[in-house]
Amino acid sequence: MSVKQNSPEKAQTREEAKKNRESAPDQAKLKRKRIRIRLIPIWLRIVMVVLLLGASLIAGAMVGYSIMGDGKPSEIFEKSTWQHISNLIHKE
């Protein structure tokens, strides 16, 4: 603890300060305890994460197919594109 040199208060030892803190634990606990109000509920956070993961998967597939594969980004939603990719992977 720092004590100002001009203060008329008596300097406390560590033991005295510790006793003073222990004598009033209820007040300290009341000051520390806060009620936290969540702006976004947990269930909504989970839904948002799932939707963002799906959107990033679709966006990544569109970017990868159009830039790396030299195709149109809208072709990623066609069934024939996915059948062609499956045939390439499984060598049918």
Side-chain angles (χ1 to χ4, degrees):
M1 292 191 107
S2 66
V3 177
K4 295 180 183 179
Q5 293 186 9
N6 295 336
S7 75
E9 297 175 359
K10 179 183 170 187
Q12 292 182 347
T13 62
R14 288 186 182 192
E15 291 81 18
E16 290 173 350
K18 188 174 181 182
K19 285 179 186 176
N20 289 340
R21 278 185 268 145
E22 288 176 356
S23 65
D26 296 333
Q27 292 177 357
K29 286 182 182 178
L30 289 175
K31 287 182 182 179
R32 279 190 247 149
K33 189 174 181 178
R34 284 188 184 173
I35 297 174
R36 183 173 178 185
I37 299 173
R38 297 183 193 271
L39 296 176
I40 302 173
I42 294 175
W43 65 269
L44 186 57
R45 291 179 191 182
I46 293 171
V47 170
M48 287 173 48
V49 167
V50 169
L51 290 176
L52 288 173
L53 284 173
S56 65
L57 181 69
I58 291 171
M62 290 175 73
V63 169
Y65 188 74
S66 65
I67 293 175
M68 297 174 121
D70 294 329
K72 295 180 184 175
S74 61
E75 289 179 0
I76 202 69
F77 298 112
E78 295 177 6
K79 186 177 179 180
S80 62
T81 303
W82 290 103
Q83 287 177 341
H84 180 69
I85 292 172
S86 175
N87 289 340
L88 289 174
I89 292 172
H90 296 297
K91 302 273 184 181
E92 290 180 9

